[in-house]
């Protein structure tokens, strides 16, 4: 159903402080890992979004008991009793992961070590995203998939109680791939490891230790030794770094703004956007206040930054900004000089072809943008002026929808964003948070 929302330019700066909703990656893992564990986990601060609900429904269908209640801040808090050593139960129907790549891909690793046959499917977008990258290493471990050699969902996984541990040289930096292999490795016989060409986000190897699984977590290398039974944990989900990135970029672009985003996940594998904005000369600082398990969290302070300049984001840091490229690209179009994101190929495999969506959208806005091979170039203009009456397609991709909304909020003329309801995937309260900050709350 079409849902076009007209975003009007803000008449003044954003100020004050805000706490964004829970991190999507950590929320998924808190649900999935609790479901795998023996006993009852207590989780709080869980993001209530369409993607996370896909994980909740999946583990419920597989026999976990999820009892989470909505809190006044919009988050979910409560208990999850896992299937533990009994293993997941055979679900009555296919598991529909909706738009959530994290649910589908991690689930394949979770189900691989059990005597179970489960069809995994998703919405139109998820059914177009590559899955061979996950099934290939899991097949090396002894799981089977049908149809054999399938590239995309729907795919049925046939688990195997005697999975082999593997030492996997991953062809790409992908946390979802790494996580699927490590999660299968928890119940495989021996040491399972993943070596990556570049560092991807490290949540699985860091969070597993909270569930009683010892791991090795190094740059580009993670390891787990199985079989080991996961045990229930208590954890609180820090604020979403990718949601915080949107508000910080809005503050950097909007005259007079000065905001603090509180209690945000500040894991080094997720703070690439902060380092990028800092290198562009933006007024941005952050401070680690504490840790949840092995994950750091803290506050970010961002201010209007009229003198930003372009910079290069090298391939080795690409995965640390992977979900922030759309909004950083918008910031880059307002910076002096050229910004280049090296080796962006992976953007083509996101909820939509994000590389094409960025090029088409920025071109529509009047920015100068091009690719050379897999590198994305943006020539910025500090006097960047948005054209009138634009209708921007989101391609039902939450990160594109919020990026174009921010263009509307900082511009002089309104921008309409198509299918804006897709932001429910990761940041349903985006406009509410912006409204709070316009009141300087
Ligand atoms: C995620 C990993 C990233 C990211 C996605 C969430 C995760 O994908 O883009 O939104 O929770 O593991 P990769 O598999 O490309 O690292």
């Amino acid at each position: 159903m079409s849902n076009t929302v007209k975003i009007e330019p803000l008449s003044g700066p954003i100020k004050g402080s805000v706490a964004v909703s829970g991190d999507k990656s950590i929320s998924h893992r808190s649900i999935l890992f609790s479901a795998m564990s023996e006993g009852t986990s207590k989780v709080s601060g869980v993001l209530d979004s369409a993607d996370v609900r896909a994980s909740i429904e999946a583990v419920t269908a597989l026999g976990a008991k999820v009892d989470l209640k909505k809190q006044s801040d919009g988050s979910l808090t409560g208990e999850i009793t896992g299937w533990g050593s009994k293993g997941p139960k055979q679900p009555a129907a296919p598991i529909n992961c909706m738009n959530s790549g994290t649910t589908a891909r991690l689930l394949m690793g979770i189900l691989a070590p059990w005597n179970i046959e489960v069809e995994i499917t998703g919405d139109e977008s998820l059914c177009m995203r590559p899955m061979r990258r996950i099934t290939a290493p899991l097949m090396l471990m002894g799981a089977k998939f049908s149809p054999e050699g399938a590239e995309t969902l729907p795919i049925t996984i046939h688990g195997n109680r005697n999975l082999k541990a593997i030492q996997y040289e991953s062809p790409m930096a992908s946390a979802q791939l790494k996580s699927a292999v490590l999660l299968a490795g928890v119940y495989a016989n021996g040491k399972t490891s993943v070596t990556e060409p570049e560092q991807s986000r490290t949540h699985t190897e860091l969070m597993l230790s909270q569930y009683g699984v010892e791991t090795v977590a190094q740059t580009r290398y993670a390891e787990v030794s199985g079989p080991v039974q996961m045990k229930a944990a208590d954890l609180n989900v820090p604020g979403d770094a990718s949601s915080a990135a949107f508000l910080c970029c809005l503050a950097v672009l909007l005259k007079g703004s000065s905001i603090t985003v509180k209690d945000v996940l500040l894991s080094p594998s997720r703070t690439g956007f902060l380092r990028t904005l800092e290198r562009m000369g933006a007024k941005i600082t952050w401070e680690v206040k504490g840790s949840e398990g092995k994950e750091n969290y803290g506050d970010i302070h961002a201010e209007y930054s009229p003198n930003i300049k372009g910079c290069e984001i090298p391939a080795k840091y690409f995965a640390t900004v992977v979900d922030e490229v759309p909004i950083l690209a918008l910031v880059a179009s307002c910076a002096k000089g050229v910004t280049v994101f090296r080796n962006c190929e992976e953007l083509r495999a996101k909820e939509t072809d994000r590389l094409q969506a960025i090029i088409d959208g920025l071109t529509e806005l009047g920015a100068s943008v091009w690719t050379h091979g897999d590198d994305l170039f943006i020539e910025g203009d500090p006097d960047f002026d948005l054209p009138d009456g634009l209708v921007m397609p989101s391609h039902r991709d939450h990160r594109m929808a919020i990026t174009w909304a921010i263009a509307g909020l900082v511009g002089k003329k309104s921008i309409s964003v198509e299918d804006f309801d897709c932001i429910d995937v990761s940041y349903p309260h985006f406009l509410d948070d912006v409204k709070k900050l316009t009141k300087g709350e």
Side-chain angles (χ1 to χ4, degrees):
M1 230 208 325
S2 164
N3 169 281
T4 300
V5 169
K6 193 169 184 179
I7 307 287
E8 300 290 350
L10 291 173
S11 54
I14 54 169
K15 286 187 177 286
S17 65
V18 73
V20 288
S21 40
D23 188 76
K24 181 159 82 69
S25 289
I26 304 279
S27 295
H28 277 301
R29 286 164 175 78
S30 73
I31 305 290
L32 299 169
F33 296 2
S34 298
M36 297 166 77
S37 295
E38 191 74 46
T40 300
S41 295
K42 291 196 172 83
V43 295
S44 58
V46 174
L47 170 68
D48 186 12
S49 81
D51 256 29
V52 177
R53 284 194 293 275
S55 281
I56 293 175
E57 278 173 33
V59 298
T60 303
L62 291 163
K65 195 168 165 293
V66 181
D67 184 14
L68 300 180
K69 303 241 164 12
K70 188 107 169 169
Q71 305 300 297
S72 55
D73 64 358
S75 68
L76 298 173
T77 290
E79 295 185 340
I80 300 170
T81 304
W83 52 70
S85 54
K86 291 198 306 288
K89 76 164 201 231
Q90 178 66 45
I95 295 200
N96 189 336
C97 301
M98 308 303 291
N99 195 245
S100 177
T102 307
T103 309
R105 290 173 170 151
L106 270 57
L107 215 49
M108 287 184 181
I110 290 169
L111 297 177
W114 299 100
N115 196 2
I116 197 165
E117 272 185 32
V118 183
E119 182 179 330
I120 298 176
T121 189
D123 69 6
E124 205 182 315
S125 152
L126 187 57
C127 285
M128 285 169 66
R129 295 178 65 186
M131 293 294 156
R132 269 297 267 180
R133 56 177 64 186
I134 311 295
T135 58
L138 294 178
M139 282 165 79
L140 289 177
M141 297 177 85
K144 290 198 166 57
F145 295 88
S146 58
E148 218 176 32
E151 300 283 344
T152 52
L153 299 180
I155 293 176
T156 300
I157 175 163
H158 307 259
N160 177 349
R161 289 296 280 142
N162 290 307
L163 280 194
K164 287 195 295 280
I166 55 168
Q167 280 68 58
Y168 194 61
E169 295 278 339
S170 178
M172 66 198 73
S174 161
Q176 293 174 348
L177 189 168
K178 174 174 59 180
S179 300
V181 175
L182 292 176
L183 292 172
V186 171
Y187 294 93
N189 296 306
K191 187 175 83 183
T192 293
S193 65
V194 181
T195 305
E196 300 186 284
E198 312 295 351
Q199 173 84 62
S200 70
R201 61 187 69 182
T202 50
H203 307 317
T204 294
E205 51 270 45
L206 294 182
M207 279 180 75
L208 275 175
S209 67
Q210 278 172 289
Y211 288 86
V213 180
E214 273 181 42
T215 58
V216 176
Q218 293 167 353
T219 311
R220 300 194 303 104
Y221 180 83
E223 179 189 302
V224 63
S225 292
V228 45
Q229 178 53 55
M230 291 170 65
K231 292 190 202 72
D234 288 359
L235 61 90
N236 178 47
V237 179
D240 194 305
S242 303
S243 299
F246 284 119
L247 298 180
C248 293
C249 290
L250 175 59
V252 164
L253 296 178
L254 190 67
K255 200 167 179 176
S257 297
S258 171
I259 64 162
T260 301
V261 193
K262 291 184 298 188
D263 300 331
V264 182
L265 176 74
L266 290 176
S267 162
S269 65
R270 293 289 294 285
T271 47
F273 78 96
L274 291 168
R275 292 188 294 271
T276 303
L277 288 171
E278 189 177 49
R279 286 181 45 236
M280 293 177 96
K283 293 179 190 164
I284 189 144
T285 54
W286 61 99
E287 187 199 357
V288 173
K289 289 200 305 198
S291 60
E292 173 58 48
K294 294 184 175 174
E295 301 275 15
N296 292 339
Y297 68 88
D299 295 347
I300 307 173
H301 182 72
E303 285 179 32
Y304 173 57
S305 310
N307 298 317
I308 48 174
K309 52 189 191 320
C311 76
E312 177 176 347
I313 295 88
K316 72 172 182 172
Y317 296 134
F318 182 75
T320 72
V321 295
V322 61
D323 289 345
E324 288 73 60
V325 179
I327 188 60
L328 289 172
L330 180 70
V331 173
S333 15
C334 306
K336 189 162 187 257
V338 174
T339 295
V340 51
F341 295 88
R342 298 280 180 206
N343 200 6
C344 295
E345 193 194 358
E346 193 53 23
L347 288 182
R348 295 200 185 277
K350 293 296 174 189
E351 284 81 333
T352 186
D353 178 344
R354 263 186 207 157
L355 189 53
Q356 198 57 49
I358 291 169
I359 295 167
D360 293 348
L362 287 182
T363 306
E364 180 79 8
L365 293 178
S368 179
V369 50
W370 68 96
T371 50
H372 183 75
D374 291 327
D375 297 342
L376 171 67
F377 292 81
I378 297 138
E379 178 159 26
D381 173 2
D383 301 316
F384 187 44
D385 205 2
L386 297 164
D388 203 0
L390 286 178
V391 181
M392 303 294 286
S394 65
H395 306 282
R396 295 210 63 79
D397 179 328
H398 51 130
R399 309 231 186 260
M400 297 314 307
I402 300 178
T403 298
W404 303 140
I406 289 181
L409 292 169
V410 295
K412 294 196 185 74
K413 291 142 197 159
S414 67
I415 285 185
S416 296
V417 185
E418 289 178 342
D419 297 316
F420 195 66
D421 57 331
C422 69
I423 71 166
D424 189 36
V425 158
S426 64
Y427 195 4
H429 298 297
F430 167 67
L431 289 177
D432 300 330
D433 285 350
V434 171
K435 200 165 170 192
K436 271 187 212 156
L437 292 169
T438 57
K439 294 182 187 150
E441 281 171 4

